[in-house]
Amino acid sequence: MVLPINVLEKSLNTQITLLLKDNRLLEGKLVGFDDYMNMVLEDVEENKDGALRRLGTVILRGNNVITISPK
Amino acid sequence: MVLPINVLEKSLNTQITLLLKDNRLLEGKLVGFDDYMNMVLEDVEENKDGALRRLGTVILRGNNVITISPK
Amino acid sequence: MVLPINVLEKSLNTQITLLLKDNRLLEGKLVGFDDYMNMVLEDVEENKDGALRRLGTVILRGNNVITISPK
Amino acid sequence: MVLPINVLEKSLNTQITLLLKDNRLLEGKLVGFDDYMNMVLEDVEENKDGALRRLGTVILRGNNVITISPK
Amino acid sequence: MVLPINVLEKSLNTQITLLLKDNRLLEGKLVGFDDYMNMVLEDVEENKDGALRRLGTVILRGNNVITISPK
Amino acid sequence: MVLPINVLEKSLNTQITLLLKDNRLLEGKLVGFDDYMNMVLEDVEENKDGALRRLGTVILRGNNVITISPK
Amino acid sequence: MVLPINVLEKSLNTQITLLLKDNRLLEGKLVGFDDYMNMVLEDVEENKDGALRRLGTVILRGNNVITISPK
């Protein structure tokens, strides 16, 4: 059995893509997370309905997340 | 009595279909889950209003899920 | 006094109809549930604004439910 | 001081009207409830924007309720 | 310091106005409440976008409330 | 480090402005609050899309608040 | 591993940008936060769909936040 938290641990320092509840996509390097799946991402690129923005380092609140996809 | 968690356990390493609150469908192989019904899926195909996307491995936050259907 | 959980227990292995928060109706045989009113249903038929779909076995997350009606 | 739970207890086996968050009205006989204000109702009539439906016995999840009015 | 619960206690058996999350206004006599700010109101008049309805006695679930105004 | 609760304490008996989740603005004198950031305000003026209303004393449920601005 | 709370601590007394669930952007100096990620910001500028407003000191409820970006 692969626990969700194990996949996060293995994804540390790699690129991940996040789908948020407001349909926003965030892509960046996962550098940390806590027990609530709050995450720290670096070099984040946001894609909101096709409009791209560079966000740098981002703390993401875990309750906004639908899916997390390692690259 | 069949507990929901028992059905998840029996579905490990098989294909399942998930209906999410935003009407998205995810189909993939269930490889793990935790006590909050957060799940790890592999070889995921997403169907959003008929538009298909391949997502690979996905961590899904359990509170976005409406129904889980084993194949 | 009839506790909600008692009605669920008496409904085991019988047909029930569920109204979900997104206005979806699910009808199927209740074969199990847990303390959060997550349920396992078999031979489920979904009715979404009149469009019918057969879903087979379904785990339903309890927090999506408005009403549960035994047959 | 009249506690909400006291009013529910006194309403057992009498007709009540419920207003739900999705603007649905349910009217029926209250035959039970639990600590989360989940309720069991009998001979329920639903009124959704003027469209009436008879639902028979219903388990109602308490977190969908706005108001409860004894008759 | 005036605690919110103190204002509720002082408002017992007086008229209060409630603004609910769905923009509904309820006005009535507060006769009780519990730790979740569920309330019991008597002689309630509802104002929904200008349409008035008399509701009699009402149990109100506290999590639907935005503001409570004593008269 | 300035804790949010410290700012509330220092704002007691002064004017504050609250932005609520439904885009409503409330302005009034903060006279109390509890651990859930439920607040008691006096001489409240509400601004809803430019329409002003005087509300007098108001208990505000904390979970409706986005921001609190001391004057 | 970089915990989200560590990034907040390192951002104390620096400029941060917050994206809120209602699509509002807040930019200001972070001067404090608590365990729920409620924050205190100073010299806040709000950007709501391009309309700018100066808000001064602001207590922000943490559950409205999607992302926090240090400058």
Side-chain angles (χ1 to χ4, degrees), chain A residues 12 20 22 24 26 31-34 38-40 57-61 63-64, chain G residues 1-4 7-8 19 21 23 36-37 62-63 65-70:
Chain A
L12 271 172
L20 306 191
D22 68 352
R24 207 177 294 261
L26 297 183
V31 296
F33 57 89
D34 63 21
N38 297 320
M39 284 170 260
V40 184
T57 297
V58 166
I59 302 169
L60 178 72
R61 299 267 298 179
N63 61 349
N64 298 294
Chain G
M1 173 113 115
V2 185
L3 291 176
V7 179
L8 276 186
L19 171 66
K21 286 184 182 170
N23 218 28
Y36 304 99
M37 280 205 198
N63 61 348
V65 174
I66 299 179
T67 57
I68 306 164
S69 305

Side-chain angles (χ1 to χ4, degrees), chain E residues 11 13-17 27-30 42-43 69-71:
Chain E
S11 301
N13 298 311
T14 71
Q15 289 289 111
I16 62 171
T17 303
E27 190 174 320
K29 188 169 74 164
L30 179 68
E42 287 182 355
D43 298 320
S69 304
K71 270 282 163 88

Side-chain angles (χ1 to χ4, degrees), chain D residues 7-19:
Chain D
V7 179
L8 276 186
E9 275 160 4
K10 277 176 52 184
S11 301
L12 272 172
N13 299 310
T14 71
Q15 289 290 111
I16 62 171
T17 303
L18 296 153
L19 172 66

